[in-house]
Amino acid sequence: MSYEAGNYDVIVIGAGHAGCEAALASARMGCETVLITLNLDMVAFMPCNPSIGGPAKGHVVREIDALGGEMGKNIDKTFIQMRMLNTGKGPAVHALRAQADKFDYQHTMKETIEKQERLTLRQGMVEELIVEDGVCRGVVTKTGAKVYGKAVIVTTGTYLRGKVIIGDLMYESGPNNQQPSVNLSHNLRSLGFELVRFKTGTPPRILKESIDFDKTVIQPGDDNPKFFSYETTESSNEQIPCWLTYTSGETHDIIQQNLHRAPMFSGAIEGTGPRYCPSIEDKVVRFSDKPKHQIFLEPEGRNTSEYYVQGLSTSMPEDVQLSILHSIPGLEQARMMRTGYAIEYDAIVPTQLKPSLETKRIPHLFTAGQINGTSGYEEAAGQGIMAGINAARCVQGKEPVILDRSLGYIGVLIDDLVTKGTNEPYRLLTSRAEYRLLLRHDNADLRLTQLGYEIGLIDESRYRRFLHKKETVELELQRLRSTKARPTELVQSVLKEAGSVELTNAVDLESLLRRPEIVYYHIEKISPSPFELTAEMKEQVEIQLKYSGYIEKQLLQVERLRKMESKKIPSDIDYSVIHGIAMEAKQKLTNIRPISIGQASRISGVTPADISILLVYLEHYNKVVAARG
C-alpha cells in the first residue's frame, strides 16, 4: 500500500558527498528540502580513502567553499593531517590534501544537516520516480511512501545495482556491505535513460598494532597547516602521521602467479574501472618494468586502529590479498581487518544532461555525483552543490547557474561530462583545465564568492570580509607599482640576503617582487605596508605580480572563449537540414544538443569546418526568426 508522505520543493536521493552538498545548498537558498538516504548511519560516508583534496580535487573543495558549500568546513573540523602538495612547483598546481577522521567527518556532516533549517533527513529506499506529464514530480520508497516535490536530484553514488567482487565471490551490495539500489536502476532504464556499467575498488584495511613502522618512512603533516575553508582561521587538531612503504619483487611475483584468479583478468568484471586509480594487479601488469610501487598507510581516525592501505586497491581473493600484504616491508605480520574488493554499479551516460545537471529527457530531474560517471568525493560534491543550486533555482523560476571553464574546476568537470561524456570513471586532473593558472587553490574566493553571495549561499558578514580582502590586495598592488626602492644600505643588504643583484638606481617595488628569488617577506623588510595584510593577502599579492604576464595571456584566451560561449544555439535547431556539416558531427550535435557555439566546438568529432558552417546557418536562422517577429 502506498501513501502520501509529504510535499517538498526539492527531493534529494542519497546522502553521500553529492547529496549532502545538494540538500544543504537547496535548503540554504530557501527551498523546503528532504534528503532521503538508505541508512542514516552512512551520511557522508567515505567508502574508499579517508582523505579529501589533492591535485585538482583540492581546488574543487576550495571552490565549493567559495560558493558557500560545506565540504571544506567539514574537513577543516575533522582532519587528522593536513599537507600542501606540489609546493616545489608553481601556484597553479599547489594542492591541499587532508587525512580525515572518517567517522568524525560523517557525524559532523550529519549534525550539520540535522540542524539546517528547511532540511529534513529521512531514511528510506527510493525505488521509483513519479513522472507526470513528462515532468518529475516526486519519488516512491520501498515502504510505499509517495514523496512529492517540484524538483528531484538523484545522487545514488555506486549503489545502483551494486555488485561486490572478491576473487570468484560475487554478491549484490552497495559499498561496505550496504544494501544496493536495484529497482531505481530499472526504473531509470524504463524511463528511457541510457546507463553504463562502471567499476571502482578499495584496498584492504589492516590493524595498526600489526604494522612494523620501523620499516616505513614517516609522512608528517605541515607544521603550519593551511585550510580548505576561507572561514577557518585556526585549528587545534593534533596531526597524525601517515607512513610510506613499497611493494617488493615478492609482491609482484605473488600477483603474477595468481592473475588467473583475478576477476579483472578472468572476465568476471564487466564494468570499466578508473584509469587513474588502477588496482595493484593492474599496475603490476601495465607497469611490469617498475620494480616497486608506493604504498601509503593512512589512519582511518583518531579512535580506531584501522589503517587504509593506499595504493593496494584489489579484487583478488582474500587469501591472495593476505599474501600480498605480508610481502610488503613493514606489513610482514599485518592483520587484515577488512578485505579489499571491487564494486560494479550503473551510471547514467552524462551527455543526457544539460550543463545545469538537469536531465534533457525529464524536466525537473537532476543527477549529480558518481551516477554521472565520475570518481571521487570531491568531484561528487562539486556536482552536488551545482545540482542543489540549479534545482532550487528551477523551483524558484530562475535561470540556472552554469560555471564556464575559466571560472572553476567544477565548470571544467561538468562541461567535460555533458559535452564529451566519459567511457570510464572520470577523475579531475589539473591537465584537464586549459586555464589552470587562473584556477588556483589560492584564488577560489576571488573567482566565485561574488556568485555565492548573489545566489544566497554566502552571508553578509562573510561577503564583507571578502570585499575587504579584495580591496586590500588591490591597494597593496597599487602601492607596489607606485613606490620606488632606492639603492640604500637597507635595500642592498636585503637584496644580498636574498641572493639578488643589488640596485644601481631606483626601481619600483613591483619590479623587485617580480625577481624569482624575491618574495613578499623581502619587500616587507624594505618597505612595510601601511595596510594590515593577512598571510593569505600577502600570498595573493605575490602570485598576482609574479605571474601577471602569464595571467594576462590566459585572460585574453578566456575573452575569446566568452565570445564563443555567448553565441547561443536555439534548442529546436534541426541539425539534419544543415548542408555541409559532416554526418558524425550532425549525430553528435543532435545527441548532445549544445547550448552554445563554445560547447559545440568542444564535442569530439565536431571539426572547425563544421563550426564555421554552423555559424553561417545560425546567422541565417536568427534573421528568419527575427523577421517572423
Side-chain angles (χ1 to χ4, degrees):
M1 287 288 291
S2 63
Y3 71 99
E4 292 198 9
N7 283 274
Y8 297 86
D9 293 319
V10 176
I11 300 168
V12 182
I13 306 169
H17 304 283
C20 290
E21 293 293 348
L24 286 166
S26 167
R28 289 167 176 171
M29 290 172 68
C31 291
E32 288 298 328
T33 305
V34 61
L35 175 56
I36 306 174
T37 189
L38 282 167
N39 186 342
L40 291 184
D41 298 327
M42 304 298 284
V43 171
F45 179 63
M46 293 177 160
C48 201
N49 53 320
S51 69
I52 295 289
K57 293 169 176 281
H59 294 66
V60 169
V61 182
R62 289 281 272 186
E63 291 172 5
I64 291 167
D65 184 75
L67 285 167
E70 197 63 31
M71 180 175 262
K73 297 186 190 74
N74 207 62
I75 187 60
D76 285 350
K77 293 172 188 171
T78 60
F79 75 88
I80 57 176
Q81 187 190 102
M82 195 75 81
R83 291 184 75 186
M84 183 65 80
L85 309 179
N86 300 329
T87 52
K89 301 178 182 177
V93 292
H94 289 181
L96 195 59
R97 186 178 188 271
Q99 289 297 131
D101 183 319
K102 65 186 290 183
F103 309 103
D104 195 15
Y105 187 93
Q106 281 178 259
H107 299 150
T108 304
M109 184 67 84
K110 181 169 181 271
E111 184 180 14
T112 299
I113 288 166
E114 289 169 340
K115 290 180 176 178
Q116 178 62 49
E117 292 180 14
R118 293 183 292 274
L119 178 52
T120 301
L121 180 61
R122 284 185 56 174
Q123 183 165 292
M125 165 85 78
V126 172
E127 299 210 311
E128 186 182 338
L129 301 175
I130 299 171
V131 179
E132 297 172 352
D133 301 323
V135 177
C136 194
R137 302 292 188 193
V139 303
V140 183
T141 71
K142 193 170 188 174
T143 57
K146 283 188 172 182
V147 185
Y148 289 91
K150 297 170 186 172
V152 175
I153 308 172
V154 184
T155 68
T156 46
T158 60
Y159 283 80
L160 285 185
R161 284 204 312 124
K163 181 169 74 172
V164 162
I165 304 166
I166 305 168
D168 57 6
L169 172 67
M170 299 181 201
Y171 56 93
E172 286 192 345
S173 176
N176 207 44
N177 287 330
Q178 294 297 300
Q179 289 184 79
S181 178
V182 177
N183 289 341
L184 183 57
S185 184
H186 295 320
N187 182 234
L188 287 167
R189 281 188 191 277
S190 73
L191 291 169
F193 287 101
E194 183 185 353
L195 304 183
V196 290
R197 199 77 173 150
F198 279 169
K199 180 219 82 160
T200 188
T202 190
R205 271 70 158 182
I206 59 176
L207 183 70
K208 174 185 178 181
E209 285 71 19
S210 67
I211 301 170
D212 184 352
F213 290 106
D214 289 340
K215 294 182 179 178
T216 66
V217 180
I218 192 168
Q219 304 287 297
D222 291 342
D223 292 334
N224 298 299
K226 294 190 176 181
F227 305 107
F228 281 103
S229 176
Y230 286 93
E231 295 199 68
T232 309
T233 55
E234 58 182 7
S235 173
S236 58
N237 291 15
E238 181 189 353
Q239 300 211 56
I240 300 175
C242 297
W243 305 84
L244 171 65
T245 183
Y246 294 87
T247 58
S248 65
E250 184 188 352
T251 310
H252 297 200
D253 289 343
I254 292 167
I255 291 168
Q256 292 283 4
Q257 290 161 16
N258 287 279
L259 283 179
H260 63 287
R261 301 179 67 194
M264 70 172 297
F265 293 106
S266 68
I269 289 178
E270 302 168 35
T272 306
R275 177 190 318 214
Y276 299 102
C277 188
S279 65
I280 187 63
E281 50 267 35
D282 193 19
K283 282 193 277 192
V284 167
V285 171
R286 281 168 54 192
F287 308 108
S288 56
D289 57 316
K290 294 199 176 297
K292 60 184 181 180
H293 295 283
Q294 287 186 330
I295 302 292
F296 290 95
L297 307 176
E298 302 175 344
E300 297 233 311
R302 294 186 188 283
N303 302 309
T304 179
S305 289
E306 222 173 326
Y307 266 61
Y308 180 90
V309 189
Q310 167 76 8
L312 208 71
S313 176
T314 183
S315 58
M316 287 288 223
E318 195 169 84
D319 60 306
V320 178
Q321 291 191 33
L322 201 56
S323 297
I324 290 170
L325 283 169
H326 290 167
S327 69
I328 295 170
L331 307 186
E332 293 87 352
Q333 304 300 319
R335 289 161 62 184
M336 189 161 64
M337 299 177 73
R338 299 187 203 228
T339 310
Y341 61 86
I343 184 168
E344 286 188 344
Y345 56 95
D346 286 346
I348 276 184
V349 173
T351 51
Q352 297 169 104
L353 305 173
K354 299 176 183 178
S356 63
L357 297 180
E358 184 180 20
T359 66
K360 297 171 184 173
R361 181 173 292 275
I362 300 177
H364 296 209
L365 175 64
F366 297 76
T367 61
Q370 285 185 271
I371 188 176
N372 288 345
T374 55
S375 65
Y377 313 142
E378 302 85 356
E379 288 93 336
Q383 293 171 72
I385 192 170
M386 296 311 299
I389 289 167
N390 287 326
R393 289 177 72 86
C394 172
V395 168
Q396 294 162 353
K398 297 176 181 175
E399 287 295 307
V401 172
I402 297 166
L403 297 183
D404 70 41
R405 298 177 70 92
S406 65
L407 268 181
Y409 274 90
I410 296 173
V412 172
L413 161 66
I414 293 174
D415 184 65
D416 278 354
L417 289 174
V418 304
T419 303
K420 302 173 184 174
T422 183
N423 55 13
E424 63 186 42
Y426 176 101
R427 177 180 179 174
L428 257 180
L429 306 165
T430 50
S431 59
R432 295 193 193 271
E434 60 270 45
Y435 306 117
R436 55 188 168 273
L437 188 53
L438 301 180
L439 309 182
R440 304 184 307 275
H441 168 92
D442 62 89
N443 71 346
D445 59 338
L446 297 176
R447 291 184 274 120
L448 296 170
T449 296
Q450 181 70 40
L451 176 60
Y453 175 70
E454 289 168 1
I455 60 182
L457 290 178
I458 297 291
D459 64 29
E460 198 66 41
S461 63
R462 178 171 173 182
Y463 183 59
R464 283 198 300 270
R465 291 196 302 273
F466 161 71
L467 290 179
H468 172 70
K469 171 187 173 179
K470 190 176 177 183
E471 181 184 0
T472 305
V473 167
E474 189 51 47
L475 286 170
E476 180 63 0
L477 286 169
Q478 290 174 14
R479 185 184 79 86
L480 297 181
R481 289 174 186 131
S482 60
T483 304
K484 297 284 186 182
R486 291 178 168 74
T488 64
E489 190 177 332
L490 170 64
V491 170
Q492 305 293 45
S493 68
V494 170
L495 292 177
K496 189 175 181 181
E497 174 199 333
S500 192
V501 177
E502 294 182 9
L503 297 183
T504 54
N505 46 41
V507 299
D508 55 66
L509 295 175
E510 176 185 14
S511 298
L512 271 190
L513 189 50
R514 283 177 185 270
R515 293 185 180 186
E517 65 279 4
I518 299 295
V519 295
Y520 189 83
Y521 160 79
H522 298 120
I523 300 298
E524 278 186 297
K525 292 184 77 171
I526 291 170
S527 174
S529 175
F531 315 115
E532 289 188 23
L533 274 74
T534 63
E536 208 174 59
M537 293 175 188
K538 293 172 186 177
E539 177 188 47
Q540 196 56 231
V541 167
E542 184 171 331
I543 290 172
Q544 286 196 33
L545 277 187
K546 281 189 179 295
Y547 295 90
S548 59
Y550 300 105
I551 290 170
E552 282 165 19
K553 283 181 184 176
Q554 291 218 329
L555 287 172
L556 288 172
Q557 293 172 335
V558 168
E559 200 49 47
R560 287 196 290 270
L561 168 77
R562 289 223 171 98
K563 288 177 184 173
M564 298 276 276
E565 299 298 334
S566 68
K567 292 175 180 171
K568 300 298 180 187
I569 302 176
S571 58
D572 59 351
I573 284 285
D574 182 358
Y575 293 99
S576 66
V577 302
I578 306 177
H579 298 296
I581 290 183
M583 185 56 68
E584 181 188 1
K586 286 183 181 181
Q587 291 171 347
K588 294 279 184 71
L589 290 165
T590 301
N591 178 39
I592 293 169
R593 305 214 69 82
I595 63 172
S596 68
I597 290 293
Q599 187 187 359
S601 70
R602 293 189 293 276
I603 298 172
S604 60
V606 177
T607 67
D610 296 322
I611 293 297
S612 297
I613 294 166
L614 179 57
L615 280 166
V616 172
Y617 178 84
L618 281 177
E619 193 174 338
H620 172 72
Y621 178 92
N622 290 331
K623 284 178 182 175
V624 171
V625 171
R628 287 174 184 164

